[in-house]
Amino acid sequence: MKREAKSYRVLETAGVPVKAWTIGVPCDPAAETQLKNAASLPIVFRWVAAMPDLHVGIGAAVGAVIPTVEAIIPAAVGVDIGCGMSASLTSLTGSDLPSNLGPLRTAVEKAVPHGRTDGGGRNDQGAWREPPARVLEAWRALRPGYARLLAARPALDRGNRPERHLGTLGTGNHFIEICLDEADRVWVLLHSGSRGVGNRIGTDYIEIAREEMRVHQRNLPDRDLAWLREGTSSFDEYVDAVSWAQAYARANRDLMLLAVEETLASVPSLPPFEARLLAVSCHHNYVRRERHYGREVWITRKGAVRAGLGELGIIPGSMGARSFIVRGLGNPESFESCSHGAGRVFSRTEARRRFSLADHAEATAGVECRKDEGVLDETPRAYKPIEAVLAAQKDLVEVLHTLRQVVCVKG
C-alpha cells in the first residue's frame, strides 16, 4: 500500500519538532530560526506548527501556532492583539455597482477613520475626536472590563481614551475592501485589530515577562520568547487583559463592517439590498485555551486562523490579489489552524526600495485604491503568491468562495 506523502516539512530542533506547511512557497531562513527557537522552549507541547504565510516577526515568527503548557508567551501573541478579519456577503451583484468606484472609496474613507490623516471628525491618529453614539454604546459594554484592567495595572492608562479608536481602521496592512465572488456577488471584507490599547497591553506584558524571566530563566534563545507562568498574578492579569483586547478587536471590526454596509446603502444608484447573508469573523493574532491530544493547552496563533472542522475563516490576499472564504478541515496536526494571509516575501523597507509606482499600478490594475508612495510597502509583489499559499494547506482548509477586490481602502 502506497503511503501518502505528508503535506508539511519537519524541522528538527533542540526541543520539540516543527511541522511546517511551507512546501512550494518561499520561506525565509530567519523565520525558520525563530520557529526553532520557540520549539526549544520547555513549555511547548508536542510540536510547533508553521503556516505557509510564514515570515519573520518579533520573537516568534508570524504564521506560527505555538501550544504551551501552563504558560503563555506575550510576544508570540504580539501587540496587535485580536487582529483579524470580518466579511459580509450582500445581495448586491457587481452589475449593481457604479462604473466609477472612486466616489465609493471616498465615501468609505469618510465613514471609517483610518490612517494618520485629519478629516471627518478624527484627529491625526485616525481616531474620533468625539465618538458617535453607536461607538459609545459599544464602549459602554467594554468599559467595565477596561476599568478592571487599569485597577490591576494602572500603567496601561496612557490617557488615549480607547473609545476614540473603537470603530477605526488603523494603519499598515489594515484595510477595507469591496469584493466580488465567483458568482459576482458583492462582499465587504476588512482587516483590523485592537488598535492602540491592544498595543499597550501587549507591549507592557512583554516587558513584564522579560523581567520575570531574568529571575527564573537565563538561557532563553531570544528574550522576546519570555513567558508568563500560570498561577502567577501577572499571568492572570494578562489572560484577563488579552481576552478583553480580543473582545475590543471584534467589536471594532463589527462597527466598521456596519459603517461600510451603511455607506453602500447610502449610494443613490444602488438598489435596496440585504447584508450579512453570510458573515464571517475570525482572529489571527490571539491566544486561547483549547484541548488537543487529550490535554488542555494554551494555543497561540500568531498570524494564523483557527480551522476546526466546519469552522469558517478568511484568508486574504494582498492588494490586487484574490482572497478566500474557507472552511476548516480540523486537521489535528496543525492544531486545527490555517494561514492568515499570503505572508510577506519582502520587508516594508525592501518593498519600498524594490518596487516603483509603475510596478504598483500594474499590480493593482482594475482595483480602485491608493497608488501612491505611501502604500508601496503593501504592494502585492511584496507578498507571497496567494495561490501557492492555498495549495500548501489543502489538508487544512477547503475554499468556499474566491473574492477579488474592486475597492480597497488602506490605513
Side-chain angles (χ1 to χ4, degrees):
M1 182 176 179
K2 188 175 180 180
R3 196 172 191 178
E4 187 175 346
K6 292 289 187 183
S7 59
Y8 56 79
R9 299 183 298 128
V10 177
L11 310 179
E12 298 300 334
T13 80
V16 300
V18 174
K19 296 186 178 182
W21 276 261
T22 56
I23 296 174
V25 295
C27 193
D28 186 342
E32 290 193 358
T33 297
Q34 288 188 319
L35 290 173
K36 293 176 181 179
N37 285 343
S40 72
L41 302 180
I43 58 173
V44 176
F45 175 71
R46 289 255 177 174
W47 54 77
V48 170
M51 301 298 102
D53 55 345
L54 180 73
H55 58 284
V56 171
I58 297 174
V62 179
V65 181
I66 305 174
T68 50
V69 177
E70 298 179 349
I72 296 174
I73 306 166
V77 179
V79 297
D80 197 357
I81 300 168
C83 187
M85 300 288 304
S86 291
S88 169
L89 170 62
T90 77
S91 59
L92 293 169
T93 65
S95 60
D96 294 322
L97 295 177
S99 56
N100 180 6
L101 294 170
L104 178 56
R105 175 164 76 97
T106 299
V108 173
E109 289 172 342
K110 288 182 178 178
V112 179
H114 62 285
R116 299 181 183 276
T117 56
D118 186 33
R122 62 200 71 120
N123 71 2
D124 62 353
Q125 296 298 314
W128 303 105
R129 284 202 185 100
E130 291 301 329
R134 183 163 58 204
V135 170
L136 292 175
E137 182 181 354
W139 175 246
R140 276 192 286 273
L142 292 163
R143 186 170 52 197
Y146 185 60
R148 186 177 63 250
L149 303 186
L150 295 187
R153 187 75 57 179
L156 290 174
D157 185 5
R158 308 284 202 276
N160 297 98
R161 293 177 55 197
E163 70 273 21
R164 294 171 61 244
H165 294 266
L166 192 58
T168 72
L169 185 61
T171 60
N173 62 358
H174 294 167
F175 62 80
I176 298 169
E177 292 180 343
I178 307 297
C179 302
L180 303 179
D181 69 9
E182 66 286 342
D184 204 41
R185 297 176 298 182
V186 173
W187 291 70
V188 177
L189 187 74
L190 59 85
H191 171 218
S192 192
S194 54
R195 304 292 278 110
V197 66
N199 187 291
R200 293 197 301 277
I201 290 168
T203 300
D204 280 22
Y205 281 95
I206 288 169
E207 185 55 40
I208 290 166
R210 287 173 183 162
E211 289 293 334
E212 294 189 0
M213 283 290 98
R214 288 188 184 104
V215 176
H216 301 294
Q217 186 84 19
R218 298 183 182 276
N219 58 345
L220 284 175
D222 186 323
R223 71 182 192 134
D224 284 318
L225 291 177
W227 64 82
L228 298 172
R229 175 68 67 180
E230 195 164 347
T232 63
S233 59
S234 55
F235 179 93
D236 292 341
E237 289 173 9
Y238 179 70
V239 169
D240 190 25
V242 83
S243 298
W244 180 87
Q246 288 166 191
Y248 180 101
R250 188 174 295 275
N252 185 42
R253 291 195 298 273
D254 286 345
L255 287 164
M256 287 189 288
L257 199 64
L258 183 56
V260 179
E261 291 166 347
E262 290 179 346
T263 299
L264 279 171
S266 71
V267 176
S269 62
L270 292 183
F273 66 91
E274 292 182 69
R276 312 215 184 181
L277 299 177
L278 179 63
V280 187
S281 184
C282 55
H283 295 319
H284 55 225
N285 285 352
Y286 72 112
V287 61
R288 58 179 259 176
R289 189 188 289 275
E290 296 180 3
R291 188 170 185 83
H292 292 274
Y293 293 97
R295 183 160 188 177
E296 295 287 325
V297 295
W298 292 98
I299 296 290
T300 295
R301 294 186 175 93
K302 185 183 181 75
V305 176
R306 180 170 167 83
L309 184 63
E311 288 187 82
L312 298 184
I314 305 168
I315 302 178
S318 57
M319 297 170 71
R322 300 293 188 263
S323 295
F324 301 89
I325 306 297
V326 298
R327 181 162 53 207
L329 298 178
N331 190 320
E333 291 188 282
S334 70
F335 300 102
E336 301 184 348
S337 306
C338 69
S339 81
H340 83 310
R344 299 192 73 92
V345 176
F346 302 111
S347 70
R348 294 185 182 279
T349 300
E350 179 62 17
R352 292 189 194 100
R353 187 193 70 79
R354 183 177 291 258
F355 301 112
S356 67
L357 288 179
D359 294 329
H360 179 62
E362 180 184 357
T364 58
V367 181
E368 173 56 49
C369 65
R370 289 175 58 190
K371 301 182 192 286
D372 56 78
E373 290 185 355
V375 293
L376 270 183
D377 57 340
E378 283 294 305
T379 197
R381 292 170 189 165
Y383 286 83
K384 299 179 186 183
I386 190 64
E387 292 79 10
V389 169
L390 259 291
Q393 56 187 322
K394 58 184 180 297
D395 60 342
L396 305 184
V397 293
E398 60 178 334
V399 174
L400 295 183
H401 300 290
T402 301
L403 313 182
R404 63 178 179 88
Q405 66 273 74
V406 292
V407 175
C408 177
V409 172
K410 293 294 291 186

